[in-house]
Each structure stands twice: as C-alpha cells, then as structure tokens.
Amino acid sequence: MVKTAVALRHIHFEDLGSFGPALAAAGYEVRHHDAVAGDPAALDPLGPDLLVVLGGPVGVYETDAYPFLATERAMIARRLAARRPTLGICLGAQLMAAALGAEVRPTGVKEIGFAPLVLTDAGRRGPLRHLDGVPVLHWHGDAFAIPEGAEGLATTPLCATQGFALGPTILGLQFHPEADAEAGLEPWLVGHACELAAAGIDPRTLRADAARYGRGLREAATAMLSAWLAGLEGRA
C-alpha cells in the first residue's frame, strides 16, 4: 500500500531537497501544498500518513502581518493532538512547538552557515545520531522552547534548542538537514540576499561551504530521515 506524504511549503526554493528521494525510497508518494497561496485549512490534518512542515522567512508570532500562520498553526495542532507522524524544519518546527504550547521568539542573532550540532543523550539515542559531527546548515533568527513532555535533541553555541522529539512520531528540527547543498544553494543565496546583506554574511563563504560539506550532509541526513521513517512503521 502506498503511503502518502504532504510537504507544506512556504517559499518555493525551501523544498524537500534531499529528503524527496529518501521519502520515495521509503515508499511515500509525495505532494506539495502551498501554505501561502493555498489555504492550510484545506488540508485534512489527519489525512496524510506523514506531514512535513518546511521552512520560511517569517516568524510564528507574526500572525497580524501574515494571517495564514494562525490557520496553519491550528491545523498542525489538530494533527499533533492525534500524534500523527509530523516532521517540522525551521519555521515548521517553530509552528509545531507553538502548537504544542511552547514559546517561539527572536534570538537576537542570525545563525546562518554550516556548523555541527552538539547532541544531547536523547539525540544520540535516536535518528539524529547519524548527524553527529556533521556540519549541517543553519538559517534562522528565531528559536523555540522545548514543548512540555518532549525531549531536546541538540544544541549549538548560538541556539540551545536545535531539535525536539515527542515520542516516535513528532520531530521538530531548527536546522536544515534537507537542504541539498551538494546541488548548490544558489536559490537560497539569491532568495535571501537581503537577509544575508543585513547580517553581514558573504554568500561566497556559504557557497564554498556548501561545496565542501554538501555530500556529507546529504548522506548523513538521508540516513537520519530513513531511521526516523523506519520507526514510524505500523504507527502511521
């Protein structure tokens, strides 16, 4: 039986990246839903076997400026209440944390670039073990608190909450393991040019680091996702 995965996308180039082939290999039929142009309320929150909530350049708390965020958060809350398999990345993880009652706020600093994680004991026991020592892509200025009942999985010097898990079916990641840096990050560099300039970050450095670390990140991230998906068998 074919399993279904819906990727909830906020900006076109922040897509599933290297996670797309990994999901296909695990037997998932993937479709994208545009959270901005398409109404998040049109999604059945309990329908897909897996929901992947992707990143984006807005803040969870900016609902007055971007009303779709409130609708999306409510939809995610219904799915999480049922403990249906859900994976969130960056903004997606922040929306999940907020839906679970945790605070999301600006950190006061932009964490953008490649750097390894420091895994917690829970992180080393779970799928994130595959990322141990691997420089992953960070691209955020907000951070979530760990939701009540969830386990913190990883930290960095600039962000103490890089991931959380609530049982085997709920996984939120602040960083971007899905970014296919091996294929190049040019859409990210152009799409976020203003943010990079404001933060004083040279795109040439990011481009060079993507070439240096891309293959290792792709392999480790695929192993991480495959391990997490294997843990969902019989639960979706």
Side-chain angles (χ1 to χ4, degrees):
M1 183 177 178
V2 175
K3 295 170 286 189
T4 59
V6 170
L8 195 55
R9 182 167 56 189
H10 303 93
I11 189 167
H12 185 74
F13 58 81
E14 291 197 29
D15 57 16
L16 283 169
S18 64
F19 279 6
L23 286 166
Y28 285 86
E29 183 179 278
V30 179
R31 68 179 179 90
H32 286 82
H33 185 89
D34 192 325
V36 179
D39 184 3
L43 279 177
D44 176 1
L46 306 183
D49 295 306
L50 172 64
L51 178 67
V52 183
V53 190
L54 296 168
V58 295
V60 167
Y61 43 81
E62 295 182 292
T63 52
D64 284 346
Y66 306 104
F68 79 91
L69 288 166
T71 305
E72 184 178 3
R73 176 173 162 178
M75 184 275 293
I76 292 170
R78 287 185 58 198
R79 183 171 179 89
L80 296 181
R83 294 297 189 266
R84 294 284 282 153
T86 309
L87 169 63
I89 297 169
C90 199
L91 173 60
Q94 295 163 10
L95 283 162
M96 290 167 59
L100 290 166
E103 182 183 20
V104 178
R105 59 180 178 83
T107 64
V109 63
K110 292 288 186 180
E111 185 176 27
I112 300 176
F114 288 84
L117 303 164
V118 178
L119 299 182
T120 65
D121 289 343
R124 284 188 290 271
R125 290 194 303 268
L128 265 66
R129 66 186 182 276
H130 294 286
L131 298 175
D132 194 13
V134 177
V136 300
L137 179 64
H138 304 273
W139 204 305
H140 70 106
D142 293 347
F144 50 74
I146 302 299
E148 184 177 355
E151 293 182 299
L153 302 177
T155 71
T156 60
L158 290 178
C159 181
T161 55
Q162 287 284 352
F164 69 87
L166 186 59
T169 61
I170 309 298
L171 179 62
L173 304 174
Q174 181 58 72
F175 56 98
H176 285 275
E178 86 294 354
D180 192 358
E182 186 178 14
L185 289 177
E186 214 60 28
W188 292 62
L189 301 182
V190 175
H192 294 310
C194 293
E195 182 181 25
L196 293 177
I201 295 171
D202 191 334
R204 291 170 292 190
T205 301
L206 288 173
R207 189 180 293 114
D209 285 347
R212 182 178 298 115
Y213 301 126
R215 178 169 297 183
L217 174 57
R218 181 186 181 95
E219 293 173 352
T222 296
M224 181 215 75
L225 179 63
S226 298
W228 186 69
L229 293 174
L232 297 180
E233 292 302 315
R235 299 179 183 274

mmCIF file of all heavy atoms in Angstrom, residues 12-63:
data_model
loop_
_atom_site.group_PDB
_atom_site.id
_atom_site.type_symbol
_atom_site.label_atom_id
_atom_site.label_comp_id
_atom_site.label_asym_id
_atom_site.label_seq_id
_atom_site.Cartn_x
_atom_site.Cartn_y
_atom_site.Cartn_z
ATOM 1 N N HIS A 12 9.122 28.762 -2.363
ATOM 2 C CA HIS A 12 9.322 27.706 -3.351
ATOM 3 C C HIS A 12 10.651 26.971 -3.206
ATOM 4 O O HIS A 12 10.704 25.744 -3.285
ATOM 5 C CB HIS A 12 9.206 28.281 -4.763
ATOM 6 C CG HIS A 12 9.279 27.244 -5.837
ATOM 7 N ND1 HIS A 12 8.234 26.380 -6.108
ATOM 8 C CD2 HIS A 12 10.281 26.903 -6.689
ATOM 9 C CE1 HIS A 12 8.578 25.564 -7.087
ATOM 10 N NE2 HIS A 12 9.813 25.856 -7.445
ATOM 11 N N PHE A 13 11.750 27.697 -2.991
ATOM 12 C CA PHE A 13 13.061 27.036 -3.008
ATOM 13 C C PHE A 13 13.397 26.328 -1.702
ATOM 14 O O PHE A 13 14.345 25.567 -1.650
ATOM 15 C CB PHE A 13 14.168 28.018 -3.402
ATOM 16 C CG PHE A 13 14.285 29.226 -2.509
ATOM 17 C CD1 PHE A 13 14.949 29.160 -1.299
ATOM 18 C CD2 PHE A 13 13.740 30.439 -2.898
ATOM 19 C CE1 PHE A 13 15.066 30.267 -0.482
ATOM 20 C CE2 PHE A 13 13.855 31.561 -2.097
ATOM 21 C CZ PHE A 13 14.523 31.479 -0.874
ATOM 22 N N GLU A 14 12.639 26.573 -0.639
ATOM 23 C CA GLU A 14 12.839 25.796 0.584
ATOM 24 C C GLU A 14 11.913 24.588 0.515
ATOM 25 O O GLU A 14 10.847 24.529 1.137
ATOM 26 C CB GLU A 14 12.582 26.649 1.824
ATOM 27 C CG GLU A 14 13.634 27.725 2.023
ATOM 28 C CD GLU A 14 13.654 28.318 3.412
ATOM 29 O OE1 GLU A 14 13.285 27.601 4.373
ATOM 30 O OE2 GLU A 14 14.052 29.490 3.551
ATOM 31 N N ASP A 15 12.369 23.610 -0.277
ATOM 32 C CA ASP A 15 11.551 22.427 -0.536
ATOM 33 C C ASP A 15 12.113 21.220 0.206
ATOM 34 O O ASP A 15 12.919 21.375 1.131
ATOM 35 C CB ASP A 15 11.457 22.175 -2.049
ATOM 36 C CG ASP A 15 12.828 22.021 -2.705
ATOM 37 O OD1 ASP A 15 13.840 21.797 -1.981
ATOM 38 O OD2 ASP A 15 12.909 22.117 -3.943
ATOM 39 N N LEU A 16 11.721 20.034 -0.213
ATOM 40 C CA LEU A 16 12.171 18.823 0.475
ATOM 41 C C LEU A 16 13.638 18.511 0.229
ATOM 42 O O LEU A 16 14.244 17.750 0.979
ATOM 43 C CB LEU A 16 11.317 17.627 0.034
ATOM 44 C CG LEU A 16 9.925 17.536 0.639
ATOM 45 C CD1 LEU A 16 9.112 16.470 -0.075
ATOM 46 C CD2 LEU A 16 9.995 17.232 2.135
ATOM 47 N N GLY A 17 14.223 19.066 -0.829
ATOM 48 C CA GLY A 17 15.635 18.845 -1.089
ATOM 49 C C GLY A 17 16.004 17.386 -1.139
ATOM 50 O O GLY A 17 15.352 16.569 -1.802
ATOM 51 N N SER A 18 17.029 17.025 -0.392
ATOM 52 C CA SER A 18 17.499 15.636 -0.385
ATOM 53 C C SER A 18 16.537 14.686 0.300
ATOM 54 O O SER A 18 16.660 13.466 0.171
ATOM 55 C CB SER A 18 18.868 15.553 0.299
ATOM 56 O OG SER A 18 18.771 15.922 1.663
ATOM 57 N N PHE A 19 15.538 15.221 1.020
ATOM 58 C CA PHE A 19 14.552 14.356 1.658
ATOM 59 C C PHE A 19 13.576 13.755 0.647
ATOM 60 O O PHE A 19 12.951 12.734 0.925
ATOM 61 C CB PHE A 19 13.762 15.129 2.720
ATOM 62 C CG PHE A 19 14.472 15.269 4.030
ATOM 63 C CD1 PHE A 19 15.775 14.834 4.199
ATOM 64 C CD2 PHE A 19 13.838 15.847 5.119
ATOM 65 C CE1 PHE A 19 16.435 14.959 5.419
ATOM 66 C CE2 PHE A 19 14.478 15.976 6.343
ATOM 67 C CZ PHE A 19 15.780 15.536 6.485
ATOM 68 N N GLY A 20 13.416 14.399 -0.517
ATOM 69 C CA GLY A 20 12.494 13.870 -1.521
ATOM 70 C C GLY A 20 12.832 12.456 -1.946
ATOM 71 O O GLY A 20 11.985 11.548 -1.860
ATOM 72 N N PRO A 21 14.066 12.196 -2.418
ATOM 73 C CA PRO A 21 14.445 10.826 -2.798
ATOM 74 C C PRO A 21 14.372 9.844 -1.634
ATOM 75 O O PRO A 21 14.004 8.679 -1.825
ATOM 76 C CB PRO A 21 15.885 10.992 -3.299
ATOM 77 C CG PRO A 21 15.972 12.414 -3.749
ATOM 78 C CD PRO A 21 15.103 13.173 -2.789
ATOM 79 N N ALA A 22 14.707 10.299 -0.427
ATOM 80 C CA ALA A 22 14.653 9.405 0.726
ATOM 81 C C ALA A 22 13.219 8.984 1.032
ATOM 82 O O ALA A 22 12.956 7.824 1.387
ATOM 83 C CB ALA A 22 15.281 10.075 1.942
ATOM 84 N N LEU A 23 12.283 9.917 0.894
ATOM 85 C CA LEU A 23 10.876 9.579 1.112
ATOM 86 C C LEU A 23 10.380 8.617 0.047
ATOM 87 O O LEU A 23 9.648 7.655 0.345
ATOM 88 C CB LEU A 23 10.028 10.845 1.118
ATOM 89 C CG LEU A 23 10.143 11.721 2.368
ATOM 90 C CD1 LEU A 23 9.529 13.087 2.127
ATOM 91 C CD2 LEU A 23 9.479 11.039 3.555
ATOM 92 N N ALA A 24 10.758 8.849 -1.209
ATOM 93 C CA ALA A 24 10.360 7.944 -2.287
ATOM 94 C C ALA A 24 10.914 6.552 -2.049
ATOM 95 O O ALA A 24 10.219 5.546 -2.255
ATOM 96 C CB ALA A 24 10.829 8.494 -3.630
ATOM 97 N N ALA A 25 12.167 6.473 -1.603
ATOM 98 C CA ALA A 25 12.785 5.170 -1.341
ATOM 99 C C ALA A 25 12.085 4.433 -0.209
ATOM 100 O O ALA A 25 12.080 3.193 -0.163
ATOM 101 C CB ALA A 25 14.267 5.360 -1.013
ATOM 102 N N ALA A 26 11.486 5.187 0.716
ATOM 103 C CA ALA A 26 10.765 4.582 1.837
ATOM 104 C C ALA A 26 9.320 4.259 1.483
ATOM 105 O O ALA A 26 8.561 3.810 2.346
ATOM 106 C CB ALA A 26 10.813 5.501 3.045
ATOM 107 N N GLY A 27 8.934 4.499 0.218
ATOM 108 C CA GLY A 27 7.601 4.117 -0.232
ATOM 109 C C GLY A 27 6.543 5.189 -0.103
ATOM 110 O O GLY A 27 5.337 4.876 -0.155
ATOM 111 N N TYR A 28 6.954 6.458 0.032
ATOM 112 C CA TYR A 28 5.983 7.539 0.162
ATOM 113 C C TYR A 28 5.716 8.203 -1.184
ATOM 114 O O TYR A 28 6.649 8.468 -1.956
ATOM 115 C CB TYR A 28 6.489 8.607 1.136
ATOM 116 C CG TYR A 28 6.405 8.204 2.578
ATOM 117 C CD1 TYR A 28 7.429 7.473 3.183
ATOM 118 C CD2 TYR A 28 5.294 8.536 3.363
ATOM 119 C CE1 TYR A 28 7.367 7.089 4.510
ATOM 120 C CE2 TYR A 28 5.211 8.169 4.691
ATOM 121 C CZ TYR A 28 6.245 7.442 5.264
ATOM 122 O OH TYR A 28 6.169 7.065 6.583
ATOM 123 N N GLU A 29 4.456 8.477 -1.441
ATOM 124 C CA GLU A 29 4.056 9.308 -2.569
ATOM 125 C C GLU A 29 3.909 10.729 -2.044
ATOM 126 O O GLU A 29 3.093 10.989 -1.165
ATOM 127 C CB GLU A 29 2.743 8.813 -3.153
ATOM 128 C CG GLU A 29 2.272 9.564 -4.376
ATOM 129 C CD GLU A 29 0.972 8.991 -4.914
ATOM 130 O OE1 GLU A 29 1.017 7.988 -5.652
ATOM 131 O OE2 GLU A 29 -0.091 9.555 -4.564
ATOM 132 N N VAL A 30 4.724 11.641 -2.570
ATOM 133 C CA VAL A 30 4.831 12.982 -2.009
ATOM 134 C C VAL A 30 4.081 13.994 -2.868
ATOM 135 O O VAL A 30 4.156 13.956 -4.099
ATOM 136 C CB VAL A 30 6.309 13.406 -1.904
ATOM 137 C CG1 VAL A 30 6.415 14.820 -1.336
ATOM 138 C CG2 VAL A 30 7.084 12.428 -1.029
ATOM 139 N N ARG A 31 3.365 14.898 -2.228
ATOM 140 C CA ARG A 31 2.822 16.061 -2.921
ATOM 141 C C ARG A 31 3.066 17.286 -2.058
ATOM 142 O O ARG A 31 3.156 17.206 -0.827
ATOM 143 C CB ARG A 31 1.337 15.897 -3.227
ATOM 144 C CG ARG A 31 0.404 15.882 -2.042
ATOM 145 C CD ARG A 31 -1.045 15.745 -2.484
ATOM 146 N NE ARG A 31 -1.968 15.703 -1.373
ATOM 147 C CZ ARG A 31 -2.548 16.783 -0.830
ATOM 148 N NH1 ARG A 31 -2.268 17.981 -1.313
ATOM 149 N NH2 ARG A 31 -3.383 16.664 0.192
ATOM 150 N N HIS A 32 3.197 18.434 -2.707
ATOM 151 C CA HIS A 32 3.409 19.698 -2.018
ATOM 152 C C HIS A 32 2.088 20.457 -1.891
ATOM 153 O O HIS A 32 1.238 20.380 -2.773
ATOM 154 C CB HIS A 32 4.425 20.559 -2.767
ATOM 155 C CG HIS A 32 5.836 20.091 -2.626
ATOM 156 N ND1 HIS A 32 6.374 19.078 -3.395
ATOM 157 C CD2 HIS A 32 6.829 20.500 -1.796
ATOM 158 C CE1 HIS A 32 7.632 18.889 -3.050
ATOM 159 N NE2 HIS A 32 7.938 19.735 -2.092
ATOM 160 N N HIS A 33 1.965 21.165 -0.798
ATOM 161 C CA HIS A 33 0.830 22.071 -0.603
ATOM 162 C C HIS A 33 1.402 23.431 -0.250
ATOM 163 O O HIS A 33 2.233 23.559 0.660
ATOM 164 C CB HIS A 33 -0.069 21.571 0.520
ATOM 165 C CG HIS A 33 -1.317 22.385 0.694
ATOM 166 N ND1 HIS A 33 -2.480 22.108 0.013
ATOM 167 C CD2 HIS A 33 -1.573 23.493 1.462
ATOM 168 C CE1 HIS A 33 -3.413 22.987 0.360
ATOM 169 N NE2 HIS A 33 -2.880 23.843 1.231
ATOM 170 N N ASP A 34 0.993 24.452 -0.975
ATOM 171 C CA ASP A 34 1.480 25.808 -0.756
ATOM 172 C C ASP A 34 0.717 26.441 0.402
ATOM 173 O O ASP A 34 -0.479 26.688 0.298
ATOM 174 C CB ASP A 34 1.293 26.627 -2.041
ATOM 175 C CG ASP A 34 2.024 27.950 -2.001
ATOM 176 O OD1 ASP A 34 2.107 28.549 -0.908
ATOM 177 O OD2 ASP A 34 2.510 28.388 -3.057
ATOM 178 N N ALA A 35 1.437 26.698 1.493
ATOM 179 C CA ALA A 35 0.780 27.255 2.678
ATOM 180 C C ALA A 35 0.415 28.715 2.500
ATOM 181 O O ALA A 35 -0.441 29.232 3.218
ATOM 182 C CB ALA A 35 1.696 27.106 3.894
ATOM 183 N N VAL A 36 1.062 29.403 1.554
ATOM 184 C CA VAL A 36 0.846 30.831 1.380
ATOM 185 C C VAL A 36 -0.270 31.094 0.372
ATOM 186 O O VAL A 36 -1.234 31.804 0.648
ATOM 187 C CB VAL A 36 2.145 31.525 0.947
ATOM 188 C CG1 VAL A 36 1.920 33.015 0.750
ATOM 189 C CG2 VAL A 36 3.240 31.284 1.988
ATOM 190 N N ALA A 37 -0.139 30.512 -0.826
ATOM 191 C CA ALA A 37 -1.155 30.727 -1.867
ATOM 192 C C ALA A 37 -2.341 29.781 -1.710
ATOM 193 O O ALA A 37 -3.446 30.080 -2.152
ATOM 194 C CB ALA A 37 -0.536 30.548 -3.254
ATOM 195 N N GLY A 38 -2.110 28.631 -1.077
ATOM 196 C CA GLY A 38 -3.178 27.664 -0.841
ATOM 197 C C GLY A 38 -3.575 27.665 0.621
ATOM 198 O O GLY A 38 -2.736 27.786 1.512
ATOM 199 N N ASP A 39 -4.826 27.573 0.902
ATOM 200 C CA ASP A 39 -5.336 27.642 2.272
ATOM 201 C C ASP A 39 -4.896 26.422 3.074
ATOM 202 O O ASP A 39 -5.254 25.290 2.726
ATOM 203 C CB ASP A 39 -6.869 27.713 2.229
ATOM 204 C CG ASP A 39 -7.482 27.876 3.600
ATOM 205 O OD1 ASP A 39 -6.727 28.000 4.595
ATOM 206 O OD2 ASP A 39 -8.718 27.876 3.684
ATOM 207 N N PRO A 40 -4.121 26.598 4.176
ATOM 208 C CA PRO A 40 -3.751 25.452 5.006
ATOM 209 C C PRO A 40 -4.963 24.709 5.562
ATOM 210 O O PRO A 40 -4.900 23.507 5.810
ATOM 211 C CB PRO A 40 -2.921 26.079 6.137
ATOM 212 C CG PRO A 40 -2.432 27.369 5.589
ATOM 213 C CD PRO A 40 -3.519 27.846 4.664
ATOM 214 N N ALA A 41 -6.081 25.424 5.734
ATOM 215 C CA ALA A 41 -7.291 24.788 6.257
ATOM 216 C C ALA A 41 -7.887 23.794 5.273
ATOM 217 O O ALA A 41 -8.714 22.963 5.647
ATOM 218 C CB ALA A 41 -8.329 25.847 6.617
ATOM 219 N N ALA A 42 -7.451 23.876 4.007
ATOM 220 C CA ALA A 42 -7.954 22.931 3.008
ATOM 221 C C ALA A 42 -7.346 21.545 3.186
ATOM 222 O O ALA A 42 -7.847 20.574 2.615
ATOM 223 C CB ALA A 42 -7.651 23.455 1.598
ATOM 224 N N LEU A 43 -6.281 21.457 3.960
ATOM 225 C CA LEU A 43 -5.670 20.159 4.233
ATOM 226 C C LEU A 43 -6.431 19.429 5.331
ATOM 227 O O LEU A 43 -6.807 20.027 6.342
ATOM 228 C CB LEU A 43 -4.222 20.337 4.693
ATOM 229 C CG LEU A 43 -3.143 20.546 3.642
ATOM 230 C CD1 LEU A 43 -1.793 20.780 4.331
ATOM 231 C CD2 LEU A 43 -3.047 19.353 2.711
ATOM 232 N N ASP A 44 -6.628 18.140 5.128
ATOM 233 C CA ASP A 44 -7.146 17.302 6.206
ATOM 234 C C ASP A 44 -5.979 17.004 7.136
ATOM 235 O O ASP A 44 -5.048 16.299 6.745
ATOM 236 C CB ASP A 44 -7.702 16.000 5.618
ATOM 237 C CG ASP A 44 -8.168 15.035 6.704
ATOM 238 O OD1 ASP A 44 -8.088 15.369 7.907
ATOM 239 O OD2 ASP A 44 -8.581 13.911 6.335
ATOM 240 N N PRO A 45 -5.975 17.537 8.354
ATOM 241 C CA PRO A 45 -4.804 17.373 9.224
ATOM 242 C C PRO A 45 -4.516 15.926 9.588
ATOM 243 O O PRO A 45 -3.378 15.596 9.930
ATOM 244 C CB PRO A 45 -5.155 18.196 10.461
ATOM 245 C CG PRO A 45 -6.641 18.314 10.439
ATOM 246 C CD PRO A 45 -7.035 18.329 8.997
ATOM 247 N N LEU A 46 -5.505 15.069 9.509
ATOM 248 C CA LEU A 46 -5.301 13.667 9.873
ATOM 249 C C LEU A 46 -5.143 12.769 8.647
ATOM 250 O O LEU A 46 -4.941 11.566 8.791
ATOM 251 C CB LEU A 46 -6.473 13.175 10.726
ATOM 252 C CG LEU A 46 -6.789 14.000 11.977
ATOM 253 C CD1 LEU A 46 -7.916 13.350 12.769
ATOM 254 C CD2 LEU A 46 -5.555 14.181 12.838
ATOM 255 N N GLY A 47 -5.227 13.351 7.446
ATOM 256 C CA GLY A 47 -5.255 12.553 6.235
ATOM 257 C C GLY A 47 -3.951 11.897 5.840
ATOM 258 O O GLY A 47 -3.861 10.661 5.770
ATOM 259 N N PRO A 48 -2.890 12.662 5.571
ATOM 260 C CA PRO A 48 -1.661 12.037 5.073
ATOM 261 C C PRO A 48 -0.978 11.178 6.140
ATOM 262 O O PRO A 48 -1.094 11.453 7.343
ATOM 263 C CB PRO A 48 -0.787 13.234 4.688
ATOM 264 C CG PRO A 48 -1.328 14.380 5.458
ATOM 265 C CD PRO A 48 -2.792 14.121 5.622
ATOM 266 N N ASP A 49 -0.287 10.163 5.675
ATOM 267 C CA ASP A 49 0.487 9.332 6.606
ATOM 268 C C ASP A 49 1.603 10.132 7.258
ATOM 269 O O ASP A 49 1.987 9.854 8.393
ATOM 270 C CB ASP A 49 1.072 8.131 5.863
ATOM 271 C CG ASP A 49 -0.006 7.192 5.341
ATOM 272 O OD1 ASP A 49 -0.844 6.757 6.157
ATOM 273 O OD2 ASP A 49 -0.028 6.912 4.134
ATOM 274 N N LEU A 50 2.124 11.122 6.522
ATOM 275 C CA LEU A 50 3.202 11.953 7.044
ATOM 276 C C LEU A 50 2.975 13.390 6.583
ATOM 277 O O LEU A 50 2.653 13.633 5.421
ATOM 278 C CB LEU A 50 4.557 11.460 6.529
ATOM 279 C CG LEU A 50 5.778 12.334 6.819
ATOM 280 C CD1 LEU A 50 6.026 12.434 8.322
ATOM 281 C CD2 LEU A 50 7.010 11.782 6.109
ATOM 282 N N LEU A 51 3.148 14.332 7.508
ATOM 283 C CA LEU A 51 3.132 15.750 7.169
ATOM 284 C C LEU A 51 4.521 16.312 7.443
ATOM 285 O O LEU A 51 5.064 16.140 8.547
ATOM 286 C CB LEU A 51 2.101 16.501 8.009
ATOM 287 C CG LEU A 51 2.029 18.021 7.774
ATOM 288 C CD1 LEU A 51 1.520 18.330 6.368
ATOM 289 C CD2 LEU A 51 1.155 18.700 8.827
ATOM 290 N N VAL A 52 5.108 16.967 6.441
ATOM 291 C CA VAL A 52 6.396 17.636 6.598
ATOM 292 C C VAL A 52 6.145 19.133 6.458
ATOM 293 O O VAL A 52 5.694 19.595 5.412
ATOM 294 C CB VAL A 52 7.418 17.174 5.550
ATOM 295 C CG1 VAL A 52 8.773 17.839 5.803
ATOM 296 C CG2 VAL A 52 7.565 15.648 5.558
ATOM 297 N N VAL A 53 6.416 19.887 7.514
ATOM 298 C CA VAL A 53 6.198 21.335 7.513
ATOM 299 C C VAL A 53 7.565 21.995 7.302
ATOM 300 O O VAL A 53 8.451 21.887 8.154
ATOM 301 C CB VAL A 53 5.549 21.820 8.815
ATOM 302 C CG1 VAL A 53 5.121 23.276 8.672
ATOM 303 C CG2 VAL A 53 4.357 20.953 9.186
ATOM 304 N N LEU A 54 7.720 22.665 6.164
ATOM 305 C CA LEU A 54 9.016 23.189 5.753
ATOM 306 C C LEU A 54 9.272 24.591 6.290
ATOM 307 O O LEU A 54 8.449 25.170 7.001
ATOM 308 C CB LEU A 54 9.105 23.154 4.229
ATOM 309 C CG LEU A 54 9.060 21.739 3.625
ATOM 310 C CD1 LEU A 54 8.848 21.784 2.118
ATOM 311 C CD2 LEU A 54 10.346 20.972 3.961
ATOM 312 N N GLY A 55 10.440 25.143 5.936
ATOM 313 C CA GLY A 55 10.872 26.424 6.462
ATOM 314 C C GLY A 55 10.316 27.608 5.692
ATOM 315 O O GLY A 55 9.611 27.466 4.689
ATOM 316 N N GLY A 56 10.670 28.802 6.185
ATOM 317 C CA GLY A 56 10.214 30.032 5.548
ATOM 318 C C GLY A 56 10.735 31.237 6.301
ATOM 319 O O GLY A 56 11.148 31.121 7.462
ATOM 320 N N PRO A 57 10.693 32.421 5.673
ATOM 321 C CA PRO A 57 11.339 33.610 6.238
ATOM 322 C C PRO A 57 10.441 34.492 7.094
ATOM 323 O O PRO A 57 10.670 35.698 7.196
ATOM 324 C CB PRO A 57 11.787 34.351 4.975
ATOM 325 C CG PRO A 57 10.737 34.036 3.969
ATOM 326 C CD PRO A 57 10.278 32.632 4.281
ATOM 327 N N VAL A 58 9.425 33.930 7.719
ATOM 328 C CA VAL A 58 8.549 34.708 8.596
ATOM 329 C C VAL A 58 8.561 34.093 9.982
ATOM 330 O O VAL A 58 9.041 32.970 10.182
ATOM 331 C CB VAL A 58 7.104 34.765 8.036
ATOM 332 C CG1 VAL A 58 7.072 35.526 6.720
ATOM 333 C CG2 VAL A 58 6.525 33.367 7.857
ATOM 334 N N GLY A 59 8.032 34.834 10.957
ATOM 335 C CA GLY A 59 8.006 34.358 12.331
ATOM 336 C C GLY A 59 6.641 33.855 12.737
ATOM 337 O O GLY A 59 5.613 34.420 12.335
ATOM 338 N N VAL A 60 6.612 32.818 13.549
ATOM 339 C CA VAL A 60 5.354 32.234 14.024
ATOM 340 C C VAL A 60 4.448 33.291 14.650
ATOM 341 O O VAL A 60 3.211 33.237 14.511
ATOM 342 C CB VAL A 60 5.681 31.125 15.055
ATOM 343 C CG1 VAL A 60 4.432 30.706 15.812
ATOM 344 C CG2 VAL A 60 6.315 29.925 14.382
ATOM 345 N N TYR A 61 5.044 34.252 15.316
ATOM 346 C CA TYR A 61 4.315 35.269 16.074
ATOM 347 C C TYR A 61 3.814 36.411 15.190
ATOM 348 O O TYR A 61 3.157 37.328 15.689
ATOM 349 C CB TYR A 61 5.241 35.838 17.159
ATOM 350 C CG TYR A 61 6.634 36.089 16.645
ATOM 351 C CD1 TYR A 61 6.950 37.233 15.925
ATOM 352 C CD2 TYR A 61 7.626 35.123 16.825
ATOM 353 C CE1 TYR A 61 8.205 37.433 15.406
ATOM 354 C CE2 TYR A 61 8.896 35.317 16.310
ATOM 355 C CZ TYR A 61 9.191 36.473 15.605
ATOM 356 O OH TYR A 61 10.458 36.650 15.079
ATOM 357 N N GLU A 62 4.080 36.389 13.898
ATOM 358 C CA GLU A 62 3.702 37.486 13.005
ATOM 359 C C GLU A 62 2.329 37.260 12.361
ATOM 360 O O GLU A 62 2.128 37.517 11.177
ATOM 361 C CB GLU A 62 4.767 37.664 11.924
ATOM 362 C CG GLU A 62 6.123 38.096 12.463
ATOM 363 C CD GLU A 62 7.145 38.319 11.369
ATOM 364 O OE1 GLU A 62 7.558 37.336 10.711
ATOM 365 O OE2 GLU A 62 7.534 39.483 11.150
ATOM 366 N N THR A 63 1.382 36.820 13.147
ATOM 367 C CA THR A 63 0.073 36.472 12.592
ATOM 368 C C THR A 63 -0.724 37.696 12.133
ATOM 369 O O THR A 63 -1.576 37.571 11.255
ATOM 370 C CB THR A 63 -0.749 35.670 13.614
ATOM 371 O OG1 THR A 63 -0.774 36.384 14.859
ATOM 372 C CG2 THR A 63 -0.137 34.303 13.856
#
